[in-house]
Amino acid sequence: MKLDLLNKQWLDIVFEGRNKSYGAYELRKKNNNTSMVAFFIGACVFALAVATPKIAELIGNSGADDSANLDTKITTVKMPPKEKPKENLPPPPPPPPKVDQVKVVKPVVAKTEEITEDPPKNKEVENKKIGSETIKGDPDADLRLEPPGDGPKQAEVVEDTNELFNSAGVEVKPEFPGGLPKFYNFIKNNYQAPDEPGLKGQVFVSFVVEKDGSLTDIKVLRDIGFGTGKEAMRVLNKCPKWTPAEQNGKKVRCSYQIPIKIETPEE
């Protein structure tokens, strides 16, 4: 007898005397249905893959047509030209006051022939408003009240600060009475150079000019030895008060640096 592999009878022959509840028997039994379902799904996927470019092309053409139509509609609309605002127009005249306004001429001393206008009399200004010109009032005009103001503004209070400023960035620099020439003259008259022949150089010192003009925080930044720096500090400690620095109209503390030139005669 010829065995048809597509017929399910061959499964019974193969699995005769075996356990048919085994998974292979069930898989073989449902093979035809599984193959048909797989074929159908594969055909659908293939058809969708083939048709996708065509669908995308149709959608793109439709969007392009809509954009073209929209552009056409927009370009065909013409906006009316805008009118330019008129320039240099005089302001509208103010409404007339409720009561008459009388011009008051300030009295001045002048010659008789130079008087061109007399001041108004008391009866003329009774129940009338005083102004810089004469204006006829309108009894039927609305009574206008000026909006209340904010009142006098208080001056801004600048808080006192103990901040230390640098002489290079402060608005008003500190100054020795009479200027730097007077200061160096004070140094020259009070500085006692060391007994060292041929000594030449500069001593650099720094200090703080306080708000009251006194000198504090005196430091020697560089000296040339032989007690030159110590002597510079002694002289600055007895220095008269300076004019203090100012920032925003307030007296402030300010740092200051100066060189002191030292030169002793040679033997």
Side-chain angles (χ1 to χ4, degrees), residues 5 27-28 46 51 65 81 88 100 113 115 117 121 126-127 141 147 154 184 189 196 205 208 219 222 231 248 251 264:
L5 295 178
L27 290 175
R28 297 287 185 178
F46 178 76
D65 294 341
N88 301 327
D100 294 344
E113 60 272 13
I115 299 177
E117 188 173 2
K121 299 179 181 179
E126 186 176 359
N127 298 327
Q154 296 182 354
Y184 281 114
N189 295 333
E196 184 67 23
V205 294
V208 174
K219 297 179 181 178
R222 190 182 70 186
E231 176 63 14
N248 297 328
K251 295 180 180 180
T264 60

Side-chain angles (χ1 to χ4, degrees), residues 7-38:
N7 197 331
K8 294 183 180 180
Q9 294 177 355
W10 70 274
L11 290 175
D12 296 333
I13 297 174
V14 173
F15 285 92
E16 184 177 0
R18 300 183 181 180
N19 185 8
K20 292 184 179 182
S21 62
Y22 185 64
Y25 177 79
E26 291 297 328
L27 290 175
R28 297 287 185 178
K29 187 177 180 180
K30 297 178 181 180
N31 183 49
N32 291 340
N33 295 335
T34 304
S35 298
M36 290 301 294
V37 172

Side-chain angles (χ1 to χ4, degrees), residues 246-266:
E246 292 186 9
Q247 185 74 11
N248 297 328
K250 302 286 291 185
K251 295 180 180 180
V252 294
R253 303 173 67 234
C254 181
S255 62
Y256 206 90
Q257 296 182 6
I258 59 167
I260 299 177
K261 187 176 180 181
I262 308 296
E263 186 174 356
T264 60
E266 297 182 358

Side-chain angles (χ1 to χ4, degrees), residues 59 181 223:
I59 294 175
D223 62 10

